[in-house]
Amino acid sequence: MIALTLLLATAGFLTLALSMQRHRRDLGRQGKPPRAMRPVAFLLIGLSVFPAVADQGLAIGITSWGMALSVCAMAVAAWLTVRSSWR
Amino acid sequence: MKANFHLSMIWLHRWSGLIFGWALYVIALTGTVVVFSDEISVWMQPELPANTVAVEQALITAQTHLQRAAPVAEFWSITPSAHHGGVTIAWAGADSAGNDRGDNALFDAVTGAVVAARDSHGTEPLVDLHFRLHSGPVGMWIVASAGMVMLLGLVTGVIVHRRIFRDFFMFRIGKGQRSWLDAHNIAGVLTLPFQFVIAFTGLMIFPVLLMPGALQAGYGGDRAAYVSDWYLPTQREASGMSAPLAPLLPMLAAAEHQLGGRIEQIAVAHPGDAAAIVTFWRGTDDRLSMMADWAAFDGPSGRMLASQTRYPPGIETSGVMVGLHFAKFGGAWTRWLYFFSGLASTALIATGLLLWTVKRGPESGKGLVAALNLATIAGLPMAIAAYFAANRLLPVDLTERGEWEIRILFLSWAACLGWALMHNRWASWAGMMLGAAFLLGIATILGGTGPVTLSLALSAVALGTTGLLLIRGARA
């Protein structure tokens, strides 16, 4: 279940990056990002709390989720950095 | 005072960060490593029985040994390990021959034989560095001050970083000072909640030390009175009349049922006496709060006397704060998340320190700040690597072996400082990184198999790659 949290959070941050003009190019996308992209990103990030809470309970689940957000955001930032240095 | 609020915050962020940065780096790196303190400590004593056993088995072994060795001692203490197959047994008072003495040894929980593990302090010196910089009470004050400066740095950092959301993922490589600033920003912004939590909860571990006024006002400075107000496992004097101790296993089952979790420690006061008390403490690895619930039983009858699972709200909050800092609650996943966030925290501090010298151009790279940066940022990983390698290289029967491991840790670090003061250039950075990788490689080769060895190998690869990149960068 924690793996699902990590997956959803990473997908959320990737979508957030896609909603930013400067990072769209790093991810190989052209043009203006769709307006709905940012709410979808925050929705995915928000949804990722549920598997953690289901797996570890409310208190520990939310704490683990908070840590997972940091790690997933760092992973996306590292991926974007690698992509932008390749371009 | 600077011309405006923003400039004042930049000044405060820069100078508070520089003055406490080295201490913060040591605290962050050692804290990150000791997230896995139990696993590393077991790795450092490979003679320990590998397979964990049930608490019941450990208790049978312990009671059998203690009934024989010290049936009428003042107290017994039994600590089954959750990480290896040993049980630590300690007692004080009269032995079976009536001589007044005590003993403390680790036993194999299955065979009952004494475990002859190599003398090693495990992660103790790293924990000591983390919470008091190996400097006793003075070190605790420095660490506490550094913790407060960390909170200050986080608040001022948020204020001075104006494009916090626009530059959320921004890291521009190969742009000199800009790249270092990007790295500093990204490590800080993406892990900001973690940084706040870990700095704040770190301070909350020693509330009485840092805020003695409350203890003075409420209890006249009497710490024992303060603690006994909310945490007082049942105690009573020995009666002087002998009575056999009831079997401990039924009491263990009742304690587990009452406390709702794994029992971590058992103590018996006045075994063999009619007033004997058996106390069971619950482990805290499965929940946020680090408050250890207890249940006390009458020794001869096995009847439960009292238990405690609830605390005043302030104490419970404090227990949760401590639990959030120690990260024992969520299993391996959560600790890996803490570990990576801790690495980011370490990188945040390191990049902040490096920014100070990068910003001042090549000349500042030869000064005291640059030398201390080298000795701390690259020297400490090398010293820790030397500590792990020494664990495998020193002869197992060496006198004061555990002390020698610690001496090697600090001698290596002192050597790095000496070298940094004399030869502060890029090659030294690469040399220390490659040296750390080499030493971790030795620890990996001699470390057998298992997750700790694998982690050491990955760390060696990461440090070695960094060293090689530094060499390439210096040549470019």
Side-chain angles (χ1 to χ4, degrees):
Chain A
M1 289 295 256
I2 290 288
L4 186 58
T5 291
L6 294 173
L7 189 72
L8 281 171
T10 307
F13 282 115
L14 266 175
T15 312
L16 186 64
L18 275 169
S19 75
M20 296 172 165
Q21 188 73 45
R22 63 169 57 148
H23 294 305
R24 278 181 73 77
R25 279 169 298 168
D26 296 336
L27 293 165
R29 297 283 187 279
Q30 301 295 326
K32 210 174 166 196
R35 189 172 283 185
M37 206 150 234
R38 199 158 288 186
V40 169
F42 287 119
L43 185 68
L44 282 170
I45 293 168
L47 280 175
S48 65
V49 73
F50 292 106
V53 169
D55 189 44
Q56 298 183 309
L58 190 66
I60 294 178
I62 288 178
T63 311
S64 295
W65 175 67
M67 299 294 150
L69 290 191
S70 289
V71 173
C72 294
M74 283 192 293
V76 170
W79 175 240
L80 290 171
T81 304
V82 170
R83 291 285 304 215
S84 73
S85 63
W86 277 349
R87 277 194 308 117
Chain B
M1 193 65 188
K2 297 290 165 185
N4 62 42
F5 179 71
H6 189 78
L7 287 176
S8 296
M9 290 298 106
I10 291 176
W11 179 88
L12 188 59
H13 187 82
R14 183 180 299 155
W15 285 99
S16 61
L18 178 69
I19 292 166
F20 282 92
W22 297 295
L24 281 170
Y25 180 86
V26 174
I27 296 163
L29 182 62
T30 50
T32 303
V33 174
V34 301
V35 164
F36 294 105
S37 64
D38 294 323
E39 290 81 358
I40 296 172
S41 291
V42 171
W43 179 85
M44 292 182 81
Q45 290 190 303
E47 297 81 9
L48 295 174
N51 298 325
T52 55
V53 295
V55 177
E56 288 80 359
Q57 173 66 56
L59 193 57
I60 292 167
T61 303
Q63 189 172 10
T64 307
H65 171 77
L66 286 163
Q67 293 280 19
R68 195 174 56 238
V72 287
E74 280 173 28
F75 82 86
W76 298 346
S77 167
I78 303 163
T79 314
S81 173
H83 305 281
H84 57 75
V87 51
T88 303
I89 299 174
W91 57 272
D95 63 10
S96 54
N99 301 315
D100 193 24
R101 65 184 192 95
D103 203 1
N104 182 353
L106 181 71
F107 291 79
D108 188 311
V110 177
T111 65
V114 175
V115 177
R118 68 183 62 192
D119 180 16
S120 172
H121 291 281
T123 50
E124 271 175 37
L126 302 181
V127 172
D128 200 46
L129 268 174
H130 177 68
F131 85 94
R132 56 184 182 185
L133 299 174
H134 209 63
S135 310
V138 176
M140 282 173 86
W141 277 106
I142 296 172
V143 169
S145 307
M148 291 180 206
V149 167
M150 181 76 183
L151 282 177
L152 184 73
L154 292 170
V155 173
T156 53
V158 169
I159 293 168
V160 302
H161 186 25
R162 284 176 164 161
R163 295 154 60 93
I164 204 161
F165 292 109
R166 198 178 294 177
D167 289 350
F168 197 69
F169 296 115
M170 183 55 70
F171 181 40
R172 285 155 285 197
I173 291 180
K175 301 251 189 296
Q177 186 188 322
R178 181 78 246 175
S179 299
W180 287 110
L181 186 59
D182 278 349
H184 185 64
N185 287 341
I186 209 165
V189 170
L190 297 185
T191 60
L192 195 61
F194 171 80
Q195 315 285 353
F196 267 112
V197 166
I198 217 70
F200 183 71
T201 55
L203 287 170
M204 291 306 291
I205 292 173
F206 303 110
V208 175
L209 174 81
L210 301 177
M211 292 174 279
L215 183 68
Q216 196 64 40
Y219 298 88
D222 186 350
R223 193 187 164 92
Y226 157 68
V227 173
S228 66
D229 222 13
W230 49 267
Y231 194 74
L232 190 63
T234 311
Q235 294 175 332
R236 62 189 181 196
E237 294 294 318
S239 68
M241 292 182 290
S242 62
L245 188 66
L248 294 177
L249 278 183
M251 289 187 239
L252 173 71
E256 282 177 337
H257 178 73
Q258 174 71 15
L259 304 178
R262 181 185 185 276
I263 298 300
E264 197 170 71
Q265 191 177 12
I266 301 115
V268 183
H270 323 303
D273 189 274
I277 289 184
V278 184
T279 309
F280 294 83
W281 278 273
R282 183 195 193 279
T284 55
D285 284 4
D286 59 344
R287 61 182 188 185
L288 276 176
S289 176
M290 290 282 275
M291 299 304 300
D293 301 340
W294 57 268
F297 294 77
D298 179 60
S301 68
R303 180 175 50 86
M304 188 184 294
L305 297 172
S307 69
Q308 184 174 12
T309 56
R310 292 191 176 277
Y311 307 90
I315 300 300
E316 191 68 56
T317 306
S318 173
V320 170
M321 294 286 164
V322 177
L324 276 171
H325 194 86
F326 277 71
K328 301 282 186 196
F329 53 85
W333 271 105
T334 306
R335 282 191 291 154
W336 274 110
L337 294 173
Y338 263 77
F339 178 80
F340 285 117
S341 300
L343 280 184
S345 189
T346 311
L348 168 74
I349 298 159
T351 50
L353 284 167
L354 287 168
L355 252 178
W356 203 90
T357 48
V358 170
K359 226 171 179 177
R360 280 154 187 78
E363 275 309 301
S364 70
K366 300 184 178 78
L368 181 67
V369 171
L372 288 173
N373 278 353
L374 171 58
T376 312
I377 297 169
L380 182 60
M382 181 152 160
I384 293 173
Y387 179 64
F388 289 146
N391 177 261
R392 286 301 195 266
L393 290 173
L394 288 176
V396 174
D397 54 357
L398 179 71
T399 312
E400 290 190 334
R401 191 182 182 286
E403 297 303 317
W404 271 110
E405 286 181 1
I406 298 174
R407 283 173 199 144
I408 285 171
L409 168 73
F410 286 104
L411 285 172
S412 310
W413 200 9
C416 289
L417 176 63
W419 185 267
L421 289 169
M422 290 185 294
H423 307 283
N424 184 16
R425 43 181 187 256
W426 274 114
S428 302
W429 283 88
M432 284 188 199
M433 293 290 182
L434 289 173
F438 175 71
L439 289 165
L440 285 175
I442 291 175
T444 303
I445 292 165
L446 301 176
T449 55
V452 174
T453 306
L454 180 65
S455 303
L456 291 176
L458 292 174
S459 306
V461 171
L463 286 168
T465 309
T466 309
L468 292 172
L469 286 173
L470 283 169
I471 290 175
R472 195 179 143 200
R475 282 183 181 165

